[in-house]
Amino acid sequence: MKKLLFSIVVLASVMASAELVVHKEGSKVVLADSCSNAQDMIQSLSQWTQNVKAGKGCSNLEPMTKSGSDCRYDISSCVPEHVVKYQDAKPEVDGPNCWNLSLVMSGILPSLRYSSPEEMHFYMRPPLCKALKDGEARQPGDVGAIRTVSRAGVEESHGFIYISEKIAYSKNGFSQMSPYALQTMEEVMQTYDVPNKKECRKNQIDLKSDCRNAVSFYRCDSLDSYMDKHKEIPEKVRTTLKKISSAEDCISKQAFSGKSLSAEARKNISDTSKAILAFAEEAKNSPEFNKLPKEQKNFLLGGIFYRLDAIGDQLSFSGEGSLAWETKGLTEMFGNVASKLVKEGK
């Protein structure tokens, strides 16, 4: 009954305002807006789904309801499964955030968790991501990176998935109160104080402009695609990435269940962290690893470092203090070994 009343209230509000609203109704993702705007957004959403090779799509979609010039559509078939599952969803603990969502939807990371601004910055460059040139057409699925610009430099402020000039996919903050949501692009820009000026919303940030907050855009390939292209990457690296993915999956499930980790799960995460450090130590004497180019070693080891570090951060948010402390300590040790490995590379 409560869900029905909520849907009626939402419907009445939408039809009165004729502004974009996307929300869950049971298992359906429902988009409501003026009929003309809704059709434009549905087309962009469908293109996004095709771009991420989700095996879905929609055409000739009929509205669920229509009132004058306003329409409501079930867009579940038009969006990636992630949206169907997580639209309006909130984690049970703090941590999962905007940067992580951007990296997950780009196929760079496998699981929802906390991501640091340093991790976001690390990936927003080759080999996985390239900055769009000014004037280059944006595509559904591109990553938007909002940054704060000051005399001290440029700092990461927010990340989101660009779908069109009208709509984006975002989680506005790391709080457990912040949901995953399809929302208007203007809502994202206003939330992070990006002025509605051309120079603040170009593909690349102009450091000479007076924009205190500005956005830049990137096009990214998935980590799986990168690994498939580079057969020279040793099996031990691939095994290490699988182990860290398993640990990330574990803490992600905890973040959305709110339950404490089992003793077995804690042991598995602890063993994984120690195994990752052992991998770095062994790599010193691995001809197969040491013959990789310096840039490639930096990318592989850097990615592992930031992922292990993020596991420690998420464990802290989830109240797993002692395990978080252990993981962060092992991360620091891994970083020291990895730095030496890169310096000794080609």
Side-chain angles (χ1 to χ4, degrees):
M1 184 65 180
K2 288 182 178 179
K3 287 185 177 179
L4 177 60
L5 288 173
F6 173 75
S7 297
I8 292 172
V9 170
V10 169
L11 173 59
S13 173
V14 169
M15 293 309 182
S17 63
E19 294 179 354
L20 172 71
V21 172
V22 183
H23 66 280
K24 288 292 286 291
E25 289 186 13
S27 61
K28 297 178 180 178
V29 181
V30 177
L31 181 150
D33 201 346
S34 69
C35 299
S36 58
N37 278 344
Q39 283 292 340
D40 289 343
M41 293 187 192
I42 287 168
Q43 185 176 356
S44 298
L45 288 165
S46 184
Q47 184 60 55
W48 174 36
T49 304
Q50 293 174 33
N51 288 352
V52 298
K53 299 178 176 62
K56 299 171 62 179
C58 56
S59 59
N60 302 319
L61 198 65
E62 294 294 327
M64 298 167 62
T65 60
K66 185 175 181 179
S67 176
S69 61
D70 299 330
C71 291
R72 294 170 68 247
Y73 289 88
D74 175 6
I75 60 170
S76 305
S77 63
C78 305
V79 296
E81 282 301 323
H82 192 282
V83 179
V84 176
K85 183 175 181 180
Y86 288 103
Q87 173 68 33
D88 296 338
K90 301 174 184 177
E92 294 295 323
V93 298
D94 292 343
N97 59 0
C98 60
W99 297 311
N100 172 260
L101 177 63
S102 300
L103 297 173
V104 167
M105 295 309 296
S106 299
I108 295 171
L109 296 178
S111 299
L112 300 177
R113 54 157 173 81
Y114 176 78
S115 284
S116 66
E118 291 81 11
E119 185 175 32
M120 178 70 169
H121 181 76
F122 176 80
Y123 283 116
M124 289 299 108
R125 57 182 179 179
L128 297 188
C129 299
K130 74 176 187 71
L132 298 187
K133 298 176 181 178
D134 280 330
E136 187 175 356
R138 299 165 192 165
Q139 295 180 5
D142 286 343
V143 175
I146 296 175
R147 276 113 180 208
T148 299
V149 183
S150 67
R151 291 181 179 179
V154 178
E155 295 182 357
E156 301 290 344
S157 178
H158 183 63
F160 63 91
I161 295 297
Y162 171 93
I163 301 169
S164 74
E165 296 302 311
K166 295 181 178 180
I167 190 168
Y169 189 39
S170 177
K171 184 180 187 297
N172 297 343
F174 70 94
S175 167
Q176 66 187 98
M177 301 304 294
S178 172
Y180 294 87
L182 287 169
Q183 54 197 272
T184 65
M185 181 66 73
E186 195 56 36
E187 181 179 349
V188 174
M189 296 298 174
Q190 288 184 8
T191 299
Y192 291 91
D193 296 323
V194 179
N196 190 10
K197 300 178 181 178
K198 184 177 180 181
E199 61 267 29
C200 303
R201 300 188 181 187
K202 302 193 298 182
N203 284 344
Q204 296 188 12
I205 293 175
D206 182 1
L207 297 178
K208 295 180 180 179
S209 73
D210 62 354
C211 304
R212 188 170 182 181
N213 296 293
V215 64
S216 51
F217 291 91
Y218 297 83
R219 189 157 301 145
C220 301
D221 287 331
S222 70
L223 180 61
D224 284 347
S225 175
Y226 174 84
M227 298 299 287
D228 287 343
K229 291 175 184 175
H230 293 275
K231 305 298 183 185
E232 74 279 9
I233 296 175
E235 188 59 36
K236 284 192 175 181
V237 176
R238 299 174 188 273
T239 300
T240 298
L241 290 172
K242 289 177 183 177
K243 287 179 179 178
I244 203 165
S245 292
S246 179
E248 287 170 321
D249 180 63
C250 181
I251 62 167
S252 181
K253 288 177 179 176
Q254 183 203 23
F256 284 85
S257 71
K259 298 178 181 178
S260 297
L261 289 174
S262 66
E264 181 182 6
R266 289 193 187 96
K267 183 178 185 303
N268 288 341
I269 292 173
S270 177
D271 289 347
T272 294
S273 300
K274 292 171 184 174
I276 291 171
L277 177 59
F279 151 74
E281 294 284 1
E282 293 170 7
K284 293 178 186 177
N285 302 314
S286 169
E288 192 178 17
F289 182 81
N290 286 316
K291 71 180 180 181
L292 296 177
K294 183 176 181 178
E295 294 77 11
Q296 192 172 40
K297 283 201 269 187
N298 184 60
F299 168 69
L300 294 169
L301 294 171
I304 293 170
F305 171 84
Y306 284 116
R307 290 174 69 174
L308 187 59
D309 191 51
I311 289 175
D313 288 330
Q314 187 58 58
L315 287 168
S316 182
F317 282 121
S318 299
E320 300 286 346
S322 59
L323 184 56
W325 181 82
E326 178 190 49
T327 304
K328 296 292 273 188
L330 289 167
T331 300
E332 184 177 356
M333 294 169 68
F334 175 88
N336 291 334
V337 176
S339 295
K340 292 178 182 178
L341 281 169
V342 172
K343 288 178 181 178
E344 294 169 1
K346 295 179 182 179

